[in-house]
Amino acid sequence: MRKQFTDKVALVTGAGTGIGRASAQALAQVGARVIVADVAAEGGEETLRLIKDADGEATFVQTDVSKAVEVEELIRQTIRIYGHLDYAVNNAGIAGEEAGTISHSEEGWDRVLAINLKGVWLSMRYEIPEMLKQGGAIVNLSSFAGLRGSGGTVAYTASKHGVVGLTKAVALEFARQNIRVNALCPGFVHTPMLQRIFETHPGVQGQLAERSPVGRIAKPEEIAQAVIWLCSDASSFITGACLPVDGGLTAC
């Protein structure tokens, strides 16, 4: 049986762990050829192995999305290997410091904004010229923190709000050129990023689950299914949307 994304090419940044890995695996499962991009070679290579072990097709390209020259090379390699680009999941991001406005370091602020926001812009800057040739769909990863305030993580919150605004602006810019641009705003998801918080703050896992209206933390695979839908023709009339996938968290 023909898979939904056969003959399609998908790029996932930050694909070495968490939502990025789950998204890369899900795209491969529906037939896409996947470029796995991550700054960490070990994680990226492991995602590549998992996809190939499941009979999927993928290539790993080590990339720091905060550096234009590396993002440009990532897209160059994508086209060299697979010939075109249909889908992009701009997921790479970091949590940064747990700090408020006064206590946050300037260096930490710059690093979070460079990866979480500038990295998404740079990715689209080089992805879109290739998509203009045949159309495409872009999914940017924001957060529930991009839709509401979140005390104590000022740079992260600012960066994720920025992704929401950037997504809307780019969606409008290319709406009539067969490129759809949407964002996902996950709630609490059991990823290595969140696991590190659990390890340094005992008891917080239960507290976060309790805060969720559905009473639990999401699995990365649940966010990946929303990625698949936003890339697919099933969402063909959706662009500029910033979709909460948060178990009702932002409905509170």
Side-chain angles (χ1 to χ4, degrees):
M1 184 174 70
R2 187 179 187 276
K3 295 185 177 181
Q4 183 181 8
F5 287 3
T6 298
D7 301 325
K8 301 296 186 180
V9 177
L11 164 65
V12 183
T13 68
T17 60
I19 293 170
R21 173 176 287 174
S23 297
Q25 290 179 284
L27 285 160
Q29 286 166 4
V30 294
R33 294 171 288 172
V34 182
I35 291 285
V36 173
D38 202 286
V39 71
E42 184 177 356
E45 294 286 2
E46 176 62 12
T47 299
L48 179 63
R49 183 191 67 78
L50 291 168
I51 290 172
K52 289 188 172 182
D53 285 353
D55 296 322
E57 184 175 350
T59 302
F60 171 60
V61 180
Q62 189 171 13
T63 308
D64 180 345
V65 298
S66 70
K67 297 178 179 178
V69 65
E70 294 197 21
V71 178
E72 185 177 19
E73 179 60 21
L74 168 65
I75 303 306
R76 185 180 294 115
Q77 291 289 346
T78 298
I79 302 308
R80 181 184 67 80
I81 296 166
Y82 293 128
H84 63 281
L85 178 63
D86 300 287
Y87 312 122
V89 183
N90 298 318
N91 164 78
I94 60 172
E97 300 173 20
E98 290 184 60
T101 302
I102 297 171
S103 59
H104 208 295
S105 72
E106 183 177 357
E107 179 184 9
W109 172 277
D110 289 345
R111 183 166 180 261
V112 169
L113 271 291
I115 296 170
N116 292 10
L117 182 55
K118 180 185 174 184
V120 173
W121 167 66
L122 282 175
S123 296
M124 290 194 289
R125 181 185 182 189
Y126 291 105
E127 292 159 355
I128 287 172
E130 294 302 328
M131 290 185 176
L132 285 170
K133 298 173 183 178
Q134 78 283 315
I138 294 173
V139 180
N140 297 324
L141 266 294
S142 180
S143 166
F144 79 96
L147 299 174
R148 55 186 283 185
S150 182
T153 56
V154 62
Y156 181 82
T157 299
S159 72
K160 293 303 184 179
H161 271 72
V163 170
V164 166
L166 179 62
T167 296
K168 292 178 179 180
V170 178
L172 292 175
E173 185 177 354
F174 294 97
R176 296 201 178 189
Q177 292 170 274
N178 199 27
I179 297 174
R180 297 186 298 107
V181 186
N182 294 292
L184 288 178
C185 300
F188 302 120
V189 184
H190 208 133
T191 64
M193 183 187 295
L194 199 58
Q195 183 60 37
R196 287 191 288 273
I197 296 174
F198 296 159
E199 291 169 357
T200 56
H201 296 78
V204 76
Q205 182 171 353
Q207 294 169 14
L208 294 184
E210 184 62 28
R211 280 179 60 186
S212 173
V214 300
R216 66 177 178 86
I217 294 170
K219 295 178 284 190
E221 293 77 13
E222 293 176 289
I223 313 304
Q225 288 307 305
V227 167
I228 296 297
W229 182 69
L230 283 177
C231 288
S232 76
D233 290 341
S235 62
S236 59
F237 200 60
I238 299 176
T239 196
C242 299
L243 176 67
V245 188
D246 63 1
L249 193 62
T250 52
C252 298

